[in-house]
Coordinates of all heavy atoms in Angstrom, one line a residue:
M1 N -37.3 75.2 37.6 CA -36.9 73.8 37.5 C -38.0 72.9 38.2 O -38.5 73.3 39.2 CB -35.6 73.6 38.2 CG -34.4 73.6 37.4 SD -32.9 73.4 38.3 CE -32.1 72.2 37.4
N2 N -38.2 71.8 37.6 CA -39.2 70.9 38.3 C -38.5 70.0 39.2 O -37.2 69.9 39.2 CB -40.0 70.2 37.2 CG -39.2 69.3 36.3 OD1 -38.1 68.9 36.7 ND2 -39.7 69.0 35.2
T3 N -39.2 69.3 40.0 CA -38.6 68.4 41.0 C -37.8 67.2 40.4 O -36.8 66.8 41.0 CB -39.7 67.9 42.0 OG1 -40.7 67.2 41.2 CG2 -40.3 69.0 42.8
K4 N -38.3 66.7 39.3 CA -37.5 65.6 38.6 C -36.1 66.1 38.2 O -35.2 65.3 38.4 CB -38.3 65.1 37.4 CG -39.5 64.3 37.8 CD -40.1 63.7 36.5 CE -41.4 63.0 36.9 NZ -42.1 62.4 35.7
A5 N -36.0 67.3 37.7 CA -34.7 67.8 37.3 C -33.8 68.0 38.6 O -32.6 67.7 38.5 CB -34.8 69.1 36.6
I6 N -34.4 68.4 39.6 CA -33.6 68.6 40.9 C -33.1 67.3 41.4 O -32.0 67.1 41.8 CB -34.4 69.4 41.9 CG1 -34.7 70.8 41.4 CG2 -33.8 69.4 43.3 CD1 -35.6 71.6 42.3
Y7 N -34.0 66.3 41.4 CA -33.6 65.0 41.9 C -32.5 64.4 41.0 O -31.6 63.8 41.5 CB -34.8 64.0 41.9 CG -35.8 64.3 43.0 CD1 -37.2 64.2 42.8 CD2 -35.4 64.7 44.3 CE1 -38.1 64.5 43.8 CE2 -36.4 65.0 45.3 CZ -37.7 64.9 45.0 OH -38.6 65.1 46.0
A8 N -32.7 64.5 39.7 CA -31.6 64.0 38.8 C -30.3 64.7 39.1 O -29.2 64.0 39.1 CB -32.1 64.2 37.4
A9 N -30.3 66.0 39.3 CA -29.1 66.7 39.5 C -28.4 66.3 40.8 O -27.2 66.1 40.9 CB -29.3 68.2 39.6
C10 N -29.2 66.1 41.9 CA -28.7 65.6 43.2 C -28.1 64.2 43.0 O -27.1 63.9 43.6 CB -29.8 65.6 44.2 SG -30.3 67.3 44.7
L11 N -28.8 63.3 42.3 CA -28.3 62.0 42.1 C -27.0 62.0 41.3 O -26.0 61.3 41.7 CB -29.3 61.1 41.3 CG -28.9 59.7 41.0 CD1 -28.7 58.9 42.3 CD2 -30.0 59.0 40.2
F12 N -26.9 62.8 40.3 CA -25.7 62.9 39.5 C -24.5 63.4 40.4 O -23.4 62.9 40.3 CB -25.9 63.9 38.3 CG -24.7 64.0 37.4 CD1 -24.3 63.0 36.6 CD2 -24.0 65.2 37.4 CE1 -23.2 63.1 35.8 CE2 -22.9 65.3 36.6 CZ -22.5 64.3 35.8
A13 N -24.8 64.4 41.2 CA -23.8 65.0 42.1 C -23.3 63.9 43.1 O -22.1 63.8 43.4 CB -24.3 66.2 42.9
A14 N -24.2 63.1 43.7 CA -23.9 62.1 44.7 C -23.0 61.0 44.0 O -22.1 60.5 44.6 CB -25.2 61.5 45.2
L15 N -23.4 60.6 42.8 CA -22.6 59.6 42.1 C -21.2 60.1 41.8 O -20.2 59.3 41.9 CB -23.3 59.2 40.8 CG -24.6 58.4 41.0 CD1 -25.2 58.1 39.6 CD2 -24.3 57.0 41.7
N16 N -21.0 61.4 41.4 CA -19.7 61.9 41.2 C -18.9 61.9 42.5 O -17.7 61.6 42.4 CB -19.8 63.3 40.6 CG -20.1 63.3 39.1 OD1 -19.8 62.4 38.5 ND2 -20.8 64.4 38.7
I17 N -19.5 62.2 43.6 CA -18.8 62.3 44.9 C -18.3 60.8 45.2 O -17.2 60.6 45.6 CB -19.6 62.8 46.0 CG1 -19.8 64.4 45.7 CG2 -19.0 62.6 47.4 CD1 -20.8 65.0 46.6
C18 N -19.2 59.9 45.0 CA -18.8 58.5 45.3 C -17.7 58.0 44.4 O -16.7 57.3 44.8 CB -20.0 57.5 45.1 SG -21.3 57.8 46.3
T19 N -17.7 58.4 43.1 CA -16.6 58.0 42.2 C -15.3 58.6 42.6 O -14.3 58.0 42.6 CB -17.0 58.5 40.8 OG1 -18.2 57.9 40.4 CG2 -15.9 58.1 39.8
L20 N -15.3 59.9 43.0 CA -14.1 60.5 43.4 C -13.5 59.9 44.7 O -12.3 59.7 44.8 CB -14.3 62.0 43.7 CG -14.5 62.9 42.4 CD1 -14.9 64.3 42.8 CD2 -13.3 62.9 41.5
A21 N -14.4 59.5 45.6 CA -13.9 58.9 46.8 C -13.3 57.5 46.5 O -12.3 57.1 47.1 CB -15.1 58.7 47.8
A22 N -13.9 56.8 45.6 CA -13.4 55.4 45.2 C -12.0 55.6 44.6 O -11.1 54.8 44.8 CB -14.4 54.7 44.3
R23 N -11.9 56.6 43.7 CA -10.6 56.8 43.0 C -9.5 57.2 44.1 O -8.4 56.8 44.0 CB -10.7 57.9 42.0 CG -11.4 57.4 40.7 CD -11.4 58.4 39.7 NE -12.2 57.9 38.5 CZ -12.4 58.7 37.5 NH1 -12.0 59.9 37.4 NH2 -13.1 58.2 36.5
A24 N -9.9 58.0 45.0 CA -8.9 58.4 46.0 C -8.5 57.3 46.9 O -7.3 57.1 47.2 CB -9.5 59.5 46.9
E25 N -9.4 56.4 47.2 CA -9.1 55.2 48.0 C -8.2 54.2 47.2 O -7.2 53.7 47.7 CB -10.4 54.4 48.4 CG -10.2 53.2 49.2 CD -11.4 52.5 49.5 OE1 -12.4 53.1 50.0 OE2 -11.5 51.3 49.3
A26 N -8.5 54.1 45.9 CA -7.6 53.2 45.1 C -6.2 53.7 44.9 O -5.3 53.0 44.8 CB -8.3 52.9 43.8
A27 N -6.1 55.0 44.9 CA -4.8 55.6 44.7 C -3.9 55.4 45.9 O -2.7 55.4 45.8 CB -4.9 57.1 44.5
D28 N -4.4 55.2 47.1 CA -3.7 55.0 48.3 C -3.1 53.5 48.4 O -2.4 53.3 49.4 CB -4.5 55.3 49.6 CG -4.9 56.8 49.6 OD1 -4.2 57.6 49.0 OD2 -5.8 57.1 50.3
V29 N -3.5 52.7 47.6 CA -3.1 51.3 47.7 C -1.7 51.1 47.0 O -1.5 51.5 45.9 CB -4.2 50.4 46.9 CG1 -3.7 48.9 46.9 CG2 -5.5 50.5 47.5
T30 N -0.9 50.4 47.8 CA 0.5 50.1 47.3 C 0.5 48.6 46.9 O -0.1 47.8 47.6 CB 1.6 50.4 48.3 OG1 1.3 49.6 49.5 CG2 1.7 51.8 48.6
A31 N 1.1 48.3 45.8 CA 1.1 47.0 45.3 C 2.1 46.1 46.1 O 3.1 46.5 46.5 CB 1.6 47.0 43.8
K32 N 1.6 44.9 46.3 CA 2.4 43.9 47.0 C 2.9 42.9 46.0 O 2.2 42.6 45.0 CB 1.6 43.1 48.1 CG 1.1 44.0 49.2 CD 0.2 43.2 50.1 CE -0.4 44.2 51.1 NZ -1.4 43.6 51.9
T33 N 4.1 42.4 46.1 CA 4.7 41.4 45.2 C 4.4 40.0 45.7 O 4.8 39.7 46.8 CB 6.2 41.7 45.0 OG1 6.4 43.0 44.5 CG2 6.8 40.7 44.0
Y34 N 3.9 39.2 44.8 CA 3.6 37.8 45.2 C 4.9 37.0 45.3 O 5.8 37.1 44.5 CB 2.7 37.1 44.2 CG 2.5 35.6 44.5 CD1 1.5 35.3 45.4 CD2 3.2 34.6 43.9 CE1 1.3 33.9 45.7 CE2 3.0 33.3 44.2 CZ 2.1 33.0 45.1 OH 1.9 31.7 45.4
T35 N 5.0 36.2 46.4 CA 6.1 35.2 46.6 C 5.4 33.9 47.0 O 4.3 33.9 47.4 CB 7.1 35.7 47.6 OG1 6.4 35.8 48.9 CG2 7.8 36.9 47.3
Y36 N 6.1 32.8 46.8 CA 5.6 31.5 47.1 C 5.2 31.5 48.6 O 5.9 31.9 49.4 CB 6.6 30.4 46.8 CG 6.1 29.0 47.1 CD1 5.2 28.4 46.2 CD2 6.4 28.4 48.3 CE1 4.7 27.2 46.4 CE2 5.9 27.1 48.5 CZ 5.1 26.5 47.6 OH 4.6 25.3 47.9
G37 N 4.0 31.1 48.8 CA 3.5 31.1 50.2 C 2.7 32.3 50.7 O 2.2 32.4 51.8
T38 N 2.6 33.3 49.8 CA 1.9 34.5 50.2 C 0.4 34.2 50.4 O -0.2 33.5 49.6 CB 2.0 35.6 49.0 OG1 3.4 35.9 48.9 CG2 1.2 36.8 49.4
H39 N -0.1 34.6 51.5 CA -1.5 34.4 51.8 C -2.4 35.3 51.0 O -2.2 36.5 51.0 CB -1.8 34.6 53.3 CG -3.3 34.5 53.6 ND1 -4.0 33.3 53.6 CD2 -4.2 35.5 54.0 CE1 -5.2 33.6 53.9 NE2 -5.4 34.9 54.1
L40 N -3.3 34.8 50.2 CA -4.2 35.6 49.4 C -5.6 35.6 50.0 O -6.2 34.5 50.2 CB -4.2 35.1 48.0 CG -2.8 35.1 47.2 CD1 -3.0 34.4 45.9 CD2 -2.3 36.5 47.1
D41 N -6.1 36.8 50.2 CA -7.4 37.0 50.7 C -8.3 37.7 49.7 O -8.4 38.9 49.7 CB -7.4 37.8 52.0 CG -8.7 38.1 52.6 OD1 -9.7 37.4 52.3 OD2 -8.8 39.0 53.5
I42 N -8.7 36.9 48.7 CA -9.4 37.5 47.5 C -10.9 37.2 47.6 O -11.3 36.1 47.5 CB -8.8 36.9 46.2 CG1 -7.3 37.2 46.1 CG2 -9.5 37.5 45.0 CD1 -6.6 36.6 45.0
K43 N -11.7 38.3 47.7 CA -13.1 38.1 47.7 C -13.6 38.3 46.2 O -14.5 37.6 45.8 CB -13.8 39.2 48.6 CG -15.3 39.1 48.6 CD -15.8 40.1 49.6 CE -17.3 40.1 49.7 NZ -17.8 41.1 50.6
K44 N -13.1 39.3 45.5 CA -13.6 39.6 44.2 C -12.4 40.3 43.4 O -11.8 41.2 43.8 CB -14.8 40.6 44.2 CG -15.3 41.0 42.9 CD -16.5 41.9 43.0 CE -17.0 42.3 41.6 NZ -18.1 43.2 41.7
V45 N -12.2 39.8 42.2 CA -11.1 40.3 41.3 C -11.8 41.5 40.6 O -12.8 41.4 40.0 CB -10.6 39.3 40.4 CG1 -9.6 39.9 39.4 CG2 -9.9 38.2 41.1
L46 N -11.1 42.7 40.6 CA -11.6 43.9 39.9 C -11.0 44.0 38.6 O -11.6 44.4 37.6 CB -11.3 45.1 40.8 CG -12.0 45.1 42.2 CD1 -11.5 46.3 43.0 CD2 -13.5 45.0 42.1
S47 N -9.7 43.7 38.4 CA -9.0 43.9 37.1 C -7.7 43.0 37.1 O -7.1 42.8 38.1 CB -8.7 45.3 36.8 OG -7.7 45.8 37.7
L48 N -7.4 42.6 35.9 CA -6.1 41.9 35.6 C -5.4 42.6 34.5 O -6.0 42.9 33.5 CB -6.4 40.5 35.2 CG -7.1 39.6 36.2 CD1 -7.5 38.2 35.6 CD2 -6.1 39.3 37.4
K49 N -4.1 42.9 34.7 CA -3.3 43.5 33.6 C -2.0 42.8 33.5 O -1.6 42.1 34.4 CB -3.0 45.0 34.0 CG -4.1 45.9 34.3 CD -3.6 47.2 34.7 CE -4.7 48.1 35.4 NZ -4.2 49.3 35.9
Q50 N -1.5 42.8 32.3 CA -0.2 42.3 32.0 C 0.6 43.1 31.0 O 0.0 43.8 30.2 CB -0.3 40.8 31.6 CG -0.7 40.6 30.2 CD -0.7 39.2 29.7 OE1 -0.8 38.3 30.6 NE2 -0.6 38.9 28.5
D51 N 1.9 43.0 31.0 CA 2.7 43.6 30.0 C 2.4 43.1 28.6 O 2.2 41.9 28.5 CB 4.2 43.4 30.3 CG 4.7 44.1 31.6 OD1 4.0 45.0 32.1 OD2 5.8 43.8 32.1
A52 N 2.4 44.0 27.7 CA 2.1 43.5 26.3 C 3.4 42.9 25.7 O 4.5 43.5 25.8 CB 1.7 44.7 25.5
T53 N 3.3 41.8 25.1 CA 4.4 41.1 24.4 C 3.9 40.3 23.2 O 2.8 39.7 23.3 CB 5.2 40.2 25.4 OG1 6.2 39.6 24.7 CG2 4.3 39.1 26.0
P54 N 4.5 40.4 22.1 CA 4.1 39.7 20.9 C 4.5 38.2 20.9 O 4.0 37.5 20.1 CB 4.8 40.4 19.8 CG 6.0 41.0 20.4 CD 5.7 41.3 21.8
S55 N 5.3 37.8 21.8 CA 5.8 36.4 21.8 C 5.4 35.7 23.2 O 5.0 36.3 24.1 CB 7.3 36.4 21.6 OG 7.9 37.1 22.7
C56 N 5.7 34.5 23.2 CA 5.5 33.7 24.4 C 6.7 33.9 25.3 O 7.8 34.0 24.9 CB 5.4 32.2 24.0 SG 5.1 31.1 25.4
G57 N 6.3 33.9 26.6 CA 7.4 34.1 27.6 C 6.8 34.6 28.9 O 5.6 34.7 29.1
I58 N 7.6 34.8 29.9 CA 7.2 35.3 31.2 C 7.0 36.8 31.1 O 7.8 37.6 30.6 CB 8.3 35.0 32.3 CG1 8.5 33.5 32.3 CG2 7.8 35.6 33.6 CD1 7.4 32.7 32.8
V59 N 5.9 37.3 31.7 CA 5.6 38.7 31.7 C 5.2 39.2 33.1 O 4.8 38.3 33.9 CB 4.4 39.1 30.7 CG1 4.8 38.9 29.3 CG2 3.2 38.4 31.1
N60 N 5.3 40.4 33.4 CA 4.8 41.0 34.6 C 3.3 41.2 34.5 O 2.8 41.7 33.5 CB 5.5 42.3 35.0 CG 7.0 42.1 35.2 OD1 7.4 41.1 35.8 ND2 7.8 43.0 34.7
A61 N 2.6 40.9 35.6 CA 1.2 41.1 35.6 C 0.8 41.7 37.0 O 1.5 41.7 37.9 CB 0.5 39.7 35.5
Q62 N -0.4 42.2 37.0 CA -1.0 42.9 38.2 C -2.4 42.6 38.3 O -3.2 42.7 37.4 CB -0.7 44.4 38.1 CG -1.1 45.1 39.4 CD -0.7 46.6 39.3 OE1 -1.4 47.3 38.5 NE2 0.3 47.0 40.0
M63 N -2.8 42.2 39.5 CA -4.2 42.0 39.8 C -4.7 42.9 40.9 O -4.1 43.1 41.9 CB -4.4 40.5 40.4 CG -5.8 40.2 40.8 SD -6.1 38.5 41.3 CE -4.9 38.2 42.5
T64 N -5.8 43.6 40.7 CA -6.5 44.5 41.6 C -7.7 43.7 42.1 O -8.5 43.2 41.3 CB -6.9 45.8 41.0 OG1 -5.7 46.4 40.4 CG2 -7.5 46.7 42.0
Y65 N -7.9 43.6 43.4 CA -9.0 42.9 44.0 C -9.5 43.4 45.3 O -8.8 44.3 45.9 CB -8.6 41.4 44.2 CG -7.4 41.2 45.2 CD1 -7.7 40.9 46.5 CD2 -6.1 41.3 44.8 CE1 -6.7 40.7 47.4 CE2 -5.1 41.1 45.7 CZ -5.4 40.8 47.0 OH -4.4 40.7 47.9
L66 N -10.7 43.0 45.7 CA -11.2 43.3 47.0 C -10.9 42.1 48.0 O -11.1 40.9 47.6 CB -12.7 43.5 47.0 CG -13.2 44.7 46.2 CD1 -14.7 44.7 46.2 CD2 -12.7 46.0 46.8
D67 N -10.5 42.4 49.2 CA -10.2 41.4 50.2 C -11.5 41.1 51.0 O -12.6 41.7 50.7 CB -9.0 41.7 51.1 CG -9.2 42.9 51.9 OD1 -10.4 43.4 52.1 OD2 -8.2 43.4 52.5
S68 N -11.5 40.3 51.9 CA -12.7 39.9 52.7 C -13.2 41.1 53.5 O -14.3 41.0 54.0 CB -12.4 38.7 53.6 OG -11.4 39.0 54.5
H69 N -12.4 42.1 53.7 CA -12.9 43.3 54.4 C -13.3 44.4 53.4 O -13.4 45.6 53.8 CB -11.8 43.9 55.3 CG -11.4 42.9 56.3 ND1 -12.1 42.5 57.4 CD2 -10.2 42.1 56.4 CE1 -11.5 41.6 58.1 NE2 -10.3 41.3 57.5
N70 N -13.4 44.1 52.1 CA -13.8 45.0 51.1 C -12.8 46.1 50.9 O -13.2 47.2 50.4 CB -15.2 45.6 51.3 CG -16.3 44.5 51.0 OD1 -16.2 43.7 50.1 ND2 -17.3 44.6 51.8
K71 N -11.5 45.9 51.2 CA -10.5 46.8 50.9 C -9.8 46.5 49.6 O -9.6 45.3 49.3 CB -9.4 46.8 52.0 CG -9.9 47.4 53.4 CD -8.9 47.4 54.4 CE -7.7 48.3 54.0 NZ -6.7 48.4 55.0
T72 N -9.5 47.5 48.8 CA -8.9 47.3 47.5 C -7.4 46.9 47.8 O -6.7 47.6 48.5 CB -9.0 48.5 46.7 OG1 -10.3 48.9 46.5 CG2 -8.3 48.3 45.3
Q73 N -6.9 45.8 47.1 CA -5.5 45.4 47.2 C -5.0 45.2 45.8 O -5.8 45.0 44.8 CB -5.5 44.0 47.9 CG -6.1 44.0 49.3 CD -5.2 44.8 50.3 OE1 -4.0 45.0 50.1 NE2 -5.9 45.3 51.4
V74 N -3.7 45.4 45.6 CA -3.0 45.2 44.3 C -1.9 44.2 44.5 O -1.1 44.4 45.5 CB -2.5 46.6 43.8 CG1 -1.8 46.4 42.5 CG2 -3.7 47.6 43.7
L75 N -1.8 43.3 43.6 CA -0.8 42.2 43.7 C 0.0 42.2 42.4 O -0.6 42.0 41.3 CB -1.4 40.9 44.0 CG -0.5 39.7 44.2 CD1 0.3 39.8 45.5 CD2 -1.2 38.4 44.1
D76 N 1.3 42.3 42.5 CA 2.2 42.1 41.3 C 2.7 40.7 41.3 O 3.0 40.1 42.3 CB 3.4 43.1 41.4 CG 3.0 44.5 41.2 OD1 2.0 44.8 40.5 OD2 3.7 45.4 41.8
Y77 N 2.7 40.1 40.1 CA 3.2 38.7 40.0 C 3.7 38.5 38.6 O 3.6 39.3 37.7 CB 2.1 37.7 40.3 CG 0.9 37.8 39.5 CD1 0.7 36.9 38.4 CD2 -0.1 38.8 39.7 CE1 -0.4 37.0 37.6 CE2 -1.2 38.8 38.9 CZ -1.4 37.9 37.9 OH -2.5 38.0 37.0
S78 N 4.4 37.3 38.3 CA 4.8 36.9 37.0 C 4.0 35.8 36.5 O 3.5 35.0 37.3 CB 6.3 36.5 37.1 OG 7.1 37.6 37.5
K79 N 3.8 35.8 35.2 CA 3.0 34.7 34.6 C 3.5 34.5 33.1 O 4.2 35.3 32.6 CB 1.5 35.0 34.6 CG 1.2 36.3 33.8 CD -0.3 36.5 33.7 CE -0.8 35.9 32.5 NZ -1.9 36.0 31.9
F80 N 3.0 33.4 32.5 CA 3.3 33.2 31.1 C 2.3 34.1 30.3 O 1.2 34.3 30.7 CB 3.0 31.7 30.7 CG 4.1 30.8 31.0 CD1 4.0 29.9 32.1 CD2 5.2 30.8 30.3 CE1 5.0 29.0 32.3 CE2 6.3 29.9 30.5 CZ 6.2 29.0 31.6
A81 N 2.8 34.7 29.3 CA 2.0 35.6 28.4 C 0.8 34.8 27.8 O 0.9 33.6 27.7 CB 2.9 36.2 27.3
D82 N -0.2 35.5 27.5 CA -1.4 34.9 27.0 C -1.1 34.3 25.6 O -1.8 33.4 25.1 CB -2.6 35.9 26.9 CG -3.1 36.3 28.2 OD1 -2.9 35.5 29.2 OD2 -3.7 37.3 28.3
G83 N -0.1 34.7 24.9 CA 0.3 34.2 23.6 C 0.9 32.8 23.7 O 1.3 32.3 22.7
C84 N 1.1 32.2 24.9 CA 1.7 30.9 25.0 C 0.8 29.8 24.9 O 1.1 28.6 25.2 CB 2.4 30.9 26.4 SG 3.7 32.1 26.6
T85 N -0.5 30.0 24.5 CA -1.4 28.9 24.5 C -1.1 27.8 23.6 O -1.5 26.6 23.8 CB -2.8 29.5 24.2 OG1 -2.8 30.1 22.9 CG2 -3.3 30.4 25.3
T86 N -0.4 28.1 22.5 CA -0.1 27.0 21.5 C 1.3 26.5 21.6 O 1.7 25.6 21.0 CB -0.3 27.5 20.1 OG1 0.5 28.6 19.8 CG2 -1.8 27.8 19.8
D87 N 2.1 27.1 22.5 CA 3.5 26.7 22.7 C 3.7 25.8 23.8 O 2.8 25.8 24.7 CB 4.4 27.9 22.9 CG 4.5 28.9 21.7 OD1 4.1 28.4 20.6 OD2 4.9 30.0 21.9
N88 N 4.7 25.0 23.8 CA 4.9 24.1 24.9 C 5.8 24.7 26.0 O 6.6 25.5 25.8 CB 5.6 22.7 24.4 CG 4.6 21.9 23.7 OD1 3.4 22.0 23.9 ND2 5.0 21.1 22.7

């Protein structure tokens, strides 16, 4: 094996270890439910999800984000479905 192949294998192994560590950290996060007045410390939004619905109405949604200490947080909240853009 040449040195480039060894370096590539080491880099691949290190990236896999980092990915596993990030997944383990994210699995330990429990979702908090938003209520009026909840203090939000959002540095960066990582993902937004919502229940699928074919019609306009209120749906459950979830936001995963990093706070100012770079800790992953999950917030559950309610919102109007994305299909409500043309409805009043």
Side-chain angles (χ1 to χ4, degrees):
M1 262 180 134
N2 62 21
T3 56
K4 288 183 182 179
I6 293 172
Y7 289 140
C10 290
L11 178 62
F12 183 70
L15 289 174
N16 281 332
I17 290 170
C18 292
T19 301
L20 289 174
R23 286 184 183 174
E25 180 181 311
D28 294 340
V29 176
T30 56
K32 298 176 186 168
T33 302
Y34 176 81
T35 57
Y36 182 77
T38 299
H39 173 71
L40 299 176
D41 179 17
I42 301 171
K43 180 178 179 181
K44 180 180 180 180
V45 175
L46 301 176
S47 69
L48 296 170
K49 299 178 197 174
Q50 73 176 26
D51 292 345
T53 181
S55 61
C56 182
I58 303 295
V59 295
N60 295 319
Q62 188 175 69
M63 175 174 55
T64 305
Y65 64 94
L66 293 177
D67 65 13
S68 61
H69 300 289
N70 288 323
K71 290 183 65 180
T72 302
Q73 303 290 337
V74 178
L75 184 71
D76 291 331
Y77 61 100
S78 298
K79 65 173 264 198
F80 280 107
D82 290 338
C84 295
T85 56
T86 59
D87 296 341
N88 289 332

